[in-house]
Amino acid sequence: MAGCGNAPSSNAKLVQGKVNVVTSFYPLYEFTRNIGGEYVNTINLVPAGVEPHDWSPKSRDIKNMTQAQVFVYQGAGFEGWVKDFLGSLPIDSTLKVVEASKGADLIKTTENKEEFDPHAWLSPLNAVKMANNIKIALISADPAHKDVFEQNYTNYAAKLVDLDARYKKELAQTSKKEIAVSHQAFSYLCRDYGLTQLSIMGLSPDAEPTAQDLKKMNEYIKDHGLKYIFFEELVSDKLAKTLAKDAKVDTMVLNPIEGLTDEQVKAGENYISIMDKNLKNLVIALQ
């Protein structure tokens, strides 16, 4: 089955005779492998357990990106380093560059109407569009396997549509619709399924909250009778735990799937299995 095999690793090497695709972070790696199957060698830049917001490529990564056939990045402002990399490519470079979020239904941020919230992959229906952008690039890089890529894409897109249906069905039945999160990563999920999030921090997971932010969160939890604050695995949970103790609530994981931990890689977890765990936790928190 496509999508099993090597763990995401930045030590991966280019392979002769396959379409080499370098992806900027985990969900794009996952989508690419499911569509490319055995004809594609996918290299994920950000290593397991590393938070991608503040990661930037080393010289070995740049060499891989420059020599690959396809480079896939999220766009919408997610990878701060991409502009410099694309600007450094030679004029005659044949690298096919895919901005995965192009054409996805993007949300403008409240702080700055010129900026988008980049976490578009947390909408399964946006993930379908992102996977389609990847499929088009793979076909263009390797037209001989067009039928395989089309079929793999169709199969994977069907799983994403099923995932969306599970979310719609289960979240429509919850009595509460508000969630308290540590990092403002869930706007797409909230938009698609009628939820509201209040985050301790903004779009960047390592911003420092002010006393005012913490007070606001405390009031939000009380006003809405919330029992949980969600935190994510790749960022320290210290703040969420402190706040939860203060507000007398528990903490639970809501994973923005920006990367897997080593344990998740070993356990064979993937985008869909983690989205299902997120759904389970949301249903518990929204009772």
Side-chain angles (χ1 to χ4, degrees):
M1 178 200 138
C4 302
N6 297 341
S9 159
S10 60
N11 299 329
K13 293 182 175 55
L14 300 174
V15 174
Q16 290 296 317
K18 289 193 179 195
V19 181
N20 287 288
V21 182
V22 173
T23 58
S24 68
F25 80 129
Y26 173 73
L28 305 178
Y29 169 83
E30 170 84 12
F31 302 160
T32 303
R33 291 197 329 158
N34 276 281
I35 300 160
E38 61 186 303
Y39 299 109
V40 170
N41 172 50
T42 313
I43 296 175
N44 189 40
L45 288 176
V46 182
V50 174
E51 213 292 317
H53 277 266
D54 42 17
W55 179 91
S56 59
K58 321 284 173 285
S59 56
R60 182 189 59 204
D61 301 318
I62 289 172
K63 189 170 166 234
N64 277 343
M65 287 191 277
T66 311
Q67 294 176 353
Q69 282 77 53
V70 182
F71 168 57
V72 187
Y73 72 104
Q74 178 64 13
F78 188 63
E79 302 93 344
W81 50 269
V82 159
K83 209 171 155 192
D84 287 346
F85 166 66
L86 296 179
S88 74
L89 286 171
I91 303 281
D92 58 355
S93 167
T94 56
L95 180 66
K96 292 182 197 315
V97 176
V98 183
E99 183 177 0
S101 65
K102 212 176 179 59
D105 192 359
L106 296 178
I107 295 174
K108 288 221 162 83
T109 64
T110 42
E111 296 90 59
N112 181 344
K113 291 294 179 208
E114 296 307 300
E115 285 178 9
F116 290 105
D117 179 332
H119 302 86
W121 62 92
L122 289 167
S123 155
L125 297 184
N126 269 342
V128 171
K129 291 180 186 167
M130 290 162 56
N132 189 49
N133 289 338
I134 293 169
K135 175 200 76 177
I136 292 165
L138 293 183
I139 290 171
S140 138
D142 182 7
H145 295 114
K146 177 180 193 284
D147 293 351
V148 178
F149 299 148
E150 289 281 9
Q151 190 53 57
N152 287 349
Y153 165 74
T154 301
N155 296 346
Y156 192 64
K159 290 181 183 174
L160 294 172
V161 170
D162 282 351
L163 176 67
D164 171 65
R166 287 197 290 283
Y167 263 78
K168 279 199 176 84
K169 179 172 175 270
E170 298 204 22
L171 293 177
Q173 297 166 4
T174 62
S175 55
K176 291 196 181 83
K177 299 294 173 195
E178 297 82 19
I179 56 173
V181 297
S182 62
H183 162 202
Q184 191 188 328
F186 303 97
S187 300
Y188 290 92
L189 208 122
C190 290
R191 178 193 67 191
D192 286 8
Y193 308 112
L195 305 178
T196 310
Q197 67 175 347
L198 183 72
S199 65
I200 308 173
M201 287 153 309
L203 290 170
S204 169
D206 45 15
E208 284 294 318
T210 62
Q212 194 55 37
D213 294 335
L214 300 179
K215 184 168 172 262
K216 203 168 137 195
M217 177 60 97
N218 228 323
E219 284 165 5
Y220 185 81
I221 288 167
K222 286 194 173 62
D223 290 349
H224 296 289
L226 305 187
K227 297 187 183 76
Y228 295 94
I229 292 177
F230 286 113
F231 70 95
E232 57 189 274
E233 282 125 320
L234 294 181
V235 179
S236 164
D237 62 354
K238 206 168 81 196
L239 186 66
K241 285 215 153 75
T242 306
L243 202 64
K245 201 173 151 191
D246 211 34
K248 301 185 177 49
V249 295
D250 288 324
T251 55
M252 198 160 31
V253 171
L254 191 62
N255 192 330
I257 322 185
E258 292 175 351
L260 300 189
T261 62
D262 285 327
E263 293 72 44
Q264 287 166 332
V265 171
K266 288 191 187 82
E269 295 277 7
N270 59 40
Y271 172 84
I272 290 176
S273 73
I274 291 173
M275 281 295 278
D276 274 322
K277 285 187 170 170
N278 279 348
L279 177 56
K280 217 152 111 191
N281 285 353
L282 283 167
V283 168
I284 293 169
L286 293 168
Q287 289 310 331

